[in-house]
Amino acid sequence: MGDERHIARAIAAAVGLAEGEAGVRAVIDALARMEPVSIRRIGKAVDLPVPIVAAVCAELRKRGLAAQERPARLTPAGRAVLAAGALRVPAGGRSFDGEGRDPLPRELDPVVRRVARAARSAPFPRLELDQCHCTVETKLRRVLALHDAGALVGRRILILGDDDLTSVAIESLVGRFGSAATVAELGVLDLDPNILAFVRMELTGAPFPLSCSEHDLRRPLPLRLRRRFDTVVTDPPYTVAGARLFLSRAAEASAGPGARVFLSFGSRRPEAGFRVQQAIAEMGFAIRRLVRDFNHYAGAGVNGGTSHLYELVATSELRPSVTGTFDGPLYTADALETPIAGRAG
């Protein structure tokens, strides 16, 4: 990954890309993931103008990392440097389709079985912490969402609260379709020591660096975790205060502009959705994608056991709104709120 970051930095300087290194890396990731692919399709995937994508690809060709022919593709040398950890997931069952989505491809069946076995053995949900496990399919679709967004391969990933076992789904998919180079680092933070012990056991022998830490997110993140991660995944308590707090910690953890946060949150109440989206904007995140009813949970909830998935991108205005210790009501029981999505409480 050091070579890729150096190349991305040099190309960003050569092209004069306002999005900097993160924008170049997004183009490289899309090219490695989708090749052979047209410049237009890359631009659509990474939300950059076609001339900018073309300029990045031209710089890759100058360095012998992309082939001269069209559609765009990497050279063998380019793959060795830029796509060593490529995740070759079968097509089908794409992650951002929302309701009416296609079934997961049959090639994922071994991964589904592996994650299902883990889910059956997982610690029982702690309702006082608003825990309610999402379905096995949702666990895998979340990981596919990270991959589709260029937020998985080569990334330093932090999961804030993992009773849904997203870490296990990542390890299972990488173990089947990736390599030791697919994930640069995976960190898991959780208040529940039983979840952490279970994750450590399930991920014994994981091919990537792994850390599991017990931490109450009412307190600021440890210094070693701040401004470190490219991707943060969180499914917080379904109160507005919970979303704001967990997003603040995600902002603390984000490496800077271009970092991605995947937030699961849902409400049928427009006021709650508005306040969460207001918090997102105030913290300097942009909403890149919002998929309604993306997450499905085991057991019915007041909203049909579903929640929405937000893909957020950190901007140069990134700043957490909660910076110190949080001592207000957080969980649905504390806040005297009814659960506003699929979680129990």
Side-chain angles (χ1 to χ4, degrees):
M1 286 305 298
D3 287 342
E4 181 187 337
R5 291 179 187 276
H6 175 76
I7 292 166
R9 194 175 302 117
I11 292 178
V15 174
L17 183 58
E19 290 78 3
E21 178 186 339
V24 174
R25 290 180 66 197
V27 173
I28 291 172
D29 290 343
L31 175 57
R33 188 171 69 251
M34 302 164 66
E35 64 169 341
V37 60
S38 69
I39 300 298
R40 188 176 300 277
R41 281 191 63 203
I42 295 175
K44 182 177 180 181
V46 300
D47 287 337
L48 285 174
V50 169
I52 292 293
V53 176
V56 171
C57 289
E59 290 295 325
L60 290 172
R61 292 189 185 98
K62 288 180 184 177
R63 292 164 171 79
L65 300 173
Q68 296 297 324
E69 64 264 31
R70 275 51 166 191
R73 68 194 71 198
L74 296 172
T75 61
R79 290 187 193 97
V81 174
L82 304 175
L87 191 65
R88 304 300 183 185
V89 178
R94 302 319 301 163
S95 59
F96 276 117
D97 291 343
E99 290 294 333
R101 54 197 172 189
D102 295 334
L104 293 171
R106 293 184 62 86
E107 292 90 340
L108 289 183
D109 284 354
V111 179
V112 172
R113 290 193 292 269
R114 155 83 170 95
V115 176
R117 283 196 300 271
R120 288 193 295 269
S121 303
F124 195 77
R126 292 178 58 182
L127 303 186
E128 75 275 14
L129 299 180
D130 285 359
Q131 291 180 358
C132 181
H133 300 161
C134 69
T135 64
V136 170
E137 181 180 276
T138 293
K139 299 179 200 301
L140 289 171
R141 288 190 186 276
R142 282 183 183 172
V143 182
L144 292 175
L146 267 62
H147 181 47
D148 285 353
L152 179 68
V153 174
R155 298 300 185 251
R156 298 163 296 180
I157 303 168
L158 178 65
I159 302 174
L160 298 179
D162 198 25
D163 64 290
D164 284 326
L165 305 182
T166 302
S167 61
V168 175
I170 289 174
E171 188 273 340
S172 300
L173 201 68
V174 169
R176 186 76 178 183
F177 298 104
S179 69
T182 299
V183 173
E185 177 185 350
L186 179 62
V188 177
L189 253 63
D190 205 291
L191 176 63
D192 188 344
N194 294 328
I195 292 292
L196 293 170
F198 184 79
V199 167
R200 288 191 190 100
M201 179 183 67
E202 287 292 320
L203 271 60
T204 300
F208 42 73
L210 170 71
S211 64
C212 295
S213 304
E214 184 176 347
H215 185 75
D216 187 341
L217 290 177
R218 293 176 186 270
R219 304 195 310 273
L221 289 186
L223 290 175
R224 62 184 173 82
L225 299 180
R226 297 185 191 180
R227 297 188 63 81
R228 178 178 180 84
F229 293 93
D230 307 300
T231 302
V232 182
V233 182
T234 189
D235 192 342
Y238 286 151
T239 61
V240 173
R244 182 180 289 275
L245 175 62
F246 278 56
L247 273 175
S248 292
R249 304 314 186 206
E252 287 181 345
S254 295
R260 301 295 174 88
V261 173
F262 292 79
L263 166 72
S264 293
F265 188 86
S267 174
R268 298 294 185 255
R269 299 195 300 252
E271 293 81 4
F274 167 75
R275 291 201 299 274
V276 168
Q277 293 180 25
Q278 187 177 46
I280 288 169
E282 288 173 353
M283 290 189 216
F285 289 111
I287 300 175
R288 185 172 187 269
R289 195 160 358 195
L290 166 60
V291 185
R292 295 182 59 82
D293 300 317
F294 178 96
N295 301 289
H296 291 244
Y297 297 88
V302 295
N303 286 328
T306 66
S307 72
H308 313 323
L309 180 67
Y310 290 79
E311 180 193 349
L312 311 177
V313 181
T315 71
S316 59
E317 301 297 318
L318 184 66
R319 60 190 182 280
S321 63
V322 180
T323 55
T325 299
F326 179 85
D327 57 7
L330 180 61
Y331 300 103
T332 52
D334 299 335
L336 301 179
E337 297 181 20
T338 55
I340 56 179
R343 289 188 178 276

